[in-house]
Every structure is written in C-alpha cells, then in structure tokens.
Amino acid sequence: MKKILLLSALCFSFFSLTAQLNVSFVGDLPYSEELSDIWGYAAPDGTEYAIVGVYDGTSIVSLADPANPTEVGFIPGANSRWRDIKTFGDFAFVTTDEGSDGLLVIDMTNLPTSFESYYWKPQLPNLGTLSRCHNLYIDEDGWMYLAGCTINNGAVMIFDVFTDSYNPAFVNNVQGSYAHDVFTKGNIMYSSNLTNGLRIYDVTDKTNLQLEGVQTTPFNFTHNAWSTDDNNFVFTTDELANAPVGSYDVSDLNDIKEMDQFRPTTTLGTGVIPHNAHVWDNFVIVSYYSDGCIILDATHPDNLIEVGNFDTFIPSDTGFEGAWGAYPYLPSGLILVSDISSGLYVLQPNYVQGCYLEGQVTDANTNALISGVEITIDAPAPNIDYSDNSGEYKTGQAIPGTFDVTFTKNGYFPLTTSAVFENGVITILDVQMTPLAIIDMIGNTLKAADGTSLANVAVVAQSNDGDIYSTTSNLNGTFTFNNIFEGEYQFYAGRWGYFHTVEVISINPNNNSVTLSLSEGYQDDFFFDFNWEINNSAQSGIWELGEPIGTFYQGSISNTGMDVEGDLGFDCYVTGNGGGSGGEDDIDGGITQLISPIMDLTIYNQPIVKYQTWFYNDGGFGSTPNDDYVISVSNGTDEVILETITESVSEWRPESSFILSDFIDITDNMTMIYTAQDQPEGHIVEAALDAFIIEEGMPASAADLEAKGIDFQIYPNPFDQNTFVELNFENQFNNTQVKVFNVLGQLVEVLNIENTTNRIEVGQNWKTGIYMIALEVNGEILQTLKLVKQ
C-alpha cells in the first residue's frame, strides 16, 4: 500500500485554528507524494470512498469513519502530475497525462477487502493506440468522454461503459481541436478547449455529433465547464492568474449571454487561479488552488455569492498550489478535497443561500446613471462589487443581519447607508450620490528656513479615491491643479537638496490654497524622479526607476517585488525590471552604475549617508557566484569605497549607515555611486537601492548654544503622552523656530518662538516613534535633538 505521512493530528490542530465560512473540518489523510484530482464512490452497503490521484498511482480511501480516512488500496502507475477520475456503477476510470498507461479501469465491487484493475490501451481504428489522456467524464447513461488524448488531435472521443464497464467500447470521435476538459449532461456536451473556447455539442445521436454553440470565456483559456441540471446555465473556469469563475445563460445556444464573474475578494489581484468547478443543486463548488475550496450560491446566476470556503493551503503563495479537486456528490453530503501538497481533506459543508443585495445608483442632481461605483458591505466576510453601465449592481453575502453598505466613486461624496440581509431574500437598495464640487487649486512651495519661494519642486496630490495629480512649481514657487474634485488630499513635495514634505489637506470651495515648506537636506525615496545618472557596459539589467517586478530563481526571490516598506511610494531603483524568470532581465556581461545628483554636504556639520540595498547572486554553470555590488562616494576629486556587498540574500538588507567624513573630505561637489557587476561566468545578478537620505550626525554643541546665550532643553525624553520644549534666550532673535521631523525627514510640526522665555507642550498628537527636533535661528540650524515617543 501507499506510504502515508502520519500528520493527521498536527493538521487538525492547525486547521482548527483557521477561520472558515460554513465549512467544517472532518478528517484528513496526508500523502508523501503530490496529489491531483479526486472523485468519490458510494458502495452498495453505504460505505463511502475517496479515489485519489497521486503522483505515482491511484489511491482508494475508505470513509467508513470520515474523521479517520483509511487507505484500503493503491494502484501504482506512471509518474504524473495529472490524473483524472470518474465512476460509473461499481467501476472507476482514471486517465493519466504522462507516461503511457492508457486508461486505468478499477472494479470496486469487493471493496474494502479487494479490487481488480488493469490498464486499458486499445488500438482504435484510424486513430491509433490510446496511451495517454488528460481528462474524462461519464454521463448518467454510461457514455464515457475522453479528452486531451495523444490521438484524435486531443479532441473528445466517446466510449460505451454501460454495456460492459470492464471493457469499454469505442463509439465515435469529435472532429476538432484539443479538448482539455469535458462534461456532459442530458446529451449536451461541453468541451473546454482552452484558447478555442467552450464548444457545446448535441450528442443525442452518438453517431452524428452536432456543434451547437461556441463561447469565449473571460481570459480566453477555457479549462473547465459544468452545467446546471436543466442545461440552462453553465459555469466555467479559466486556469490563469486572477481569472474568474464565469456564469453563462446557455438556454438559447444561438444567443449565449454572460451573466456574472466571480473572483475571491480576499485575494483579488494577487494571482490566484481557479481550477475546477462542479455544480450541486444551486451551488458551484470550486477548487480554487491556493484559495482552497470555495462554495458559490448560484441560485441567481447573475449574482454569484461566496457562501462557503475552506482554505487547505495556508501560505500566502499563489500559483499552482493548494486545492486541485473538490468532489461534492457523496450521499452523505461531505466534500472531498485533494490538496496538491498536503493531502486529502474531508469537509462538511453547511449550504446556505446568499443574502442578495441589488439596486441602482444615480446622480442626486441629474438622476444620471452612475457606473463604476464601488459597493462594499461592512461585514466579517470580505466583499466588493461595482455598478455596471446601467448604474445597476448585484452583490450579497452569506451572513444575515443589518449591515452598513458604502458606495464610493471618484467625483462623489461617499455614501453609507444600512440594509437588512436575509438568506434567500433579494433586498433592493437604490441610492443617489451627491457629486463633489470641481475646484481650481493654487499652491506655493517655500524654503522652510526663510519662507522664500522655491522653484522646480515636484508636487503630487493624491485623493482618498486614489486619483493622482502631479506638477512642478514655477519660478515664483507657485503651482496649480485645475478641475480637481473637492476632498481630502495627501500632498507630497520634493526637490533635490531638500527633505520630502508630506501634508494632508482638505480642499473645498472655501479652502483651495496650499503652502508646502521644504527643509534643506538630501533625501530620495524615489517617489520623485531626481534624474540619477546611469552608466553601464552591461548588455542587460541596467538600472531603472520603477515599481519592482519580482522574479524567482529555484524558489528564491531574485529581483525584489516591492520597495522598502515605510518609505514614500512604491518605486525604487532596480537592475532590470522586465519580470519573467530569474535570469531574463538580470545584469549580464558587465557593470551598471547609478550616480546621485551632486550634493553640497558642507551644509551639514557631520553628514551621515543612509540607504537600503538588495543584492542577489546565484546560478551559473557550475562555478561559484562571484559578483558584487560596490557603494562608493566621491567629493569631485577623490572616490572611496564605503562597502562591497557579495552576500546573496532574497530580502532588503538592513539600513547601511556611514559617517562620510570618516572616509573622505566633505565638499560641495559630492556624489554617491552604486555599481553592480556581472563577472564573465554569467551568474544571475540583481541589485536594488531605496530609502536614501543624508542625516545630520553632529548638531551644534551645548557650548555653542551657551556662547550665544541660548538654553535649549526637552523633557521628559522618552515620553508617552506629551513632552515640553523649554527655551531661554539672553537676547531676542528676529526669526526663531523649533521644527519637528519624523525619521523620514518629513516636517511634523513648526513652533514659532517669539519670547525670550518659552515652555511649550508638544507631542500629544504624534504617533509612536523617533523624532528629531531642530532649533533654527535666523535660518541656521543651531542644534538637533533626538526625541522618542513610546
């Protein structure tokens, strides 16, 4: 028998801690090999069985005690990642899409004590030897349909298994293209032909097969289809990342209509792949790979609602992992799930109808229909929907009760109202949304030290709806955004030679002006493009600025898929950003060099450079990776190396920090240089740079302040609620300010000092973290102190 891993107790304790929706864990059976498809069988004595496709064979599992599934038989076969299983009467039939096993036929009459099986590999007239197939289906009358075989161009072939199940008889074959999957109900055959779409045949006369309709599915990669009992509706899956489960009205094959598309809200846009859909009653049971088993209420095929789920694959990875198959047809109602890597799961569903919410969204001023409105229900189960071109929406959830429903759309005030949700009931909620005012906004960028206008500042405004506006301040330091909607905006401003500034400001007809002040210094989170210079001799993988596209090599991340967490935006500098495999756009055949714009670091008492790097180095043709990432600094005359990175890791490295005066003389003509290179052996080399900043390392001393007759203190420090800034001057200065910056150099607060004696309470509204408080007199920073809010 098949060797089975003894992990049941561990799996149960793990999954019992995981929240599921209307599906409970009953039992499991881990395997030492990967699994593929699964089917079920109910013996005449009432005992239920699972038939499991395993990488190296077929496993028969007794469910006499569903909490403790027990393997009672195993049939070795060719190693294959693809096995598909169906039953008719007391027989099971298994296809294998690798090797040359043909069709496995299993007589299960004498289970659990014994069974008979053999590999059927007939020579079919004018077609050849049946040696390998991808998929099969057997309808209610005992007609078997084989798909994706190595003969007949992979098109469907029909066999009789009701006359003699142990010896199938060839009947006919479809003249057409490769079929990846097949399903038949009531003499209507649905052939899923990948890029050739869903092809629907009338197979009433098995000697005269009639193509009645063709339908392209959402991602043009039709993998699987399953119809309702009356053949009025069919549900499809496209086996591609982010593809949906599709719903179609096929009651008139001359006029097929798409009804709805379903994607799991929790993992929307993350690359999750739907695999197989099966219909039971008014429900669609989907094996959704890394999202596990998902149950959809399809009572209303134009409004598919997730009413149950059980995730068998806990890691956040996507791709071809997790639930391969989900079988819902046992008399007991149990669902059997085959997880590729973790084994067989026995689940108990609680089938509930959805609580349906439908309505129309219109403009409160004009009554015009509004499309693209986002509708979310404030409930435990994630959900999202959008109004269509008719302003109509259809959504819902499994959980009954009274919940708030929020409608959002760019250009309109958000609208929240409550609705009553009842299982099996359609609640109608029509709403009208009030449009926002359209405003012309004017702004100013100023030098923080003296309030003078600052030209050529990059300014970005981002609304709460995600709309982004960008411009640059002119020679007078002014900028404008015309025809923007009123609302709250996050303003970002940056210029080389200044720290970023970020402010949240509400813009409305009574407040349409903004003033942004920037403090001198050097910082680049690569949210703005400050035109770093690029030199290279490499053939590929040159430095480029953008949101990084992750790549992988042998399971490790080679090119980062995200910038440094916590900095502005999502961009950084990476060496090649074309995606693909680990070696497709890495550095090849030379160096690529990134050089900062010139910096006048004489404005600092002790400049400290800080940044974060990524360096990955692997592969090659048997040789040890020997490439490197060199970071150096130049003062216009000399250049010295700060560090050479050779260790390969698949993560952003901890922040690098160097006191530059320890390495080189400080001038007004400084640059930082980042050089990554590929040696001739041709290894995979990827580098990245982010979160660049020059900080002050040595503020003015207490003795300097004493010489000027200034006493500057902060207490308590650290603090948890508020702290006090105390300042005493022997002489009155014309322009004195205390400025508070966070660790990103963003201005948090400005205190204008007008008296010779000051005790000011601050920090009440600051977030927990580290802050720098600078004392600035007549435009000159005299001292900077670090302050910690706990």
Side-chain angles (χ1 to χ4, degrees), residues 300-362:
H300 303 284
D302 57 351
N303 188 11
L304 300 178
I305 298 174
E306 182 174 353
V307 294
N309 60 57
F310 190 98
D311 192 354
T312 63
F313 187 76
I314 298 304
S316 59
D317 300 20
T318 57
F320 300 100
E321 300 283 354
W324 176 291
Y327 176 82
Y329 302 118
L330 288 173
S332 64
L334 295 172
I335 294 177
L336 307 178
V337 176
S338 55
D339 184 282
I340 294 171
S341 57
S342 60
L344 162 67
Y345 290 86
V346 182
L347 307 176
Q348 180 65 66
N350 175 30
Y351 290 108
V352 299
Q353 277 193 273
C355 309
Y356 318 106
L357 183 71
E358 301 180 3
Q360 191 173 58
V361 189
T362 54

Side-chain angles (χ1 to χ4, degrees), residues 42 85 96 163 232 255 257 260 299 356 404 410 436 440 474 528 567 592 611 629 638 653 701 774 777 783:
I85 307 151
T96 304
T163 301
N232 283 334
D255 185 23
K257 297 182 178 68
D260 198 11
T299 302
Y356 318 106
D404 284 343
N410 181 35
L436 296 167
D440 291 334
N474 62 22
F528 306 101
D567 75 338
T592 183
Y611 52 83
Y629 183 9
D638 302 315
R653 296 168 182 275
S701 67
V777 177
Q783 188 174 37

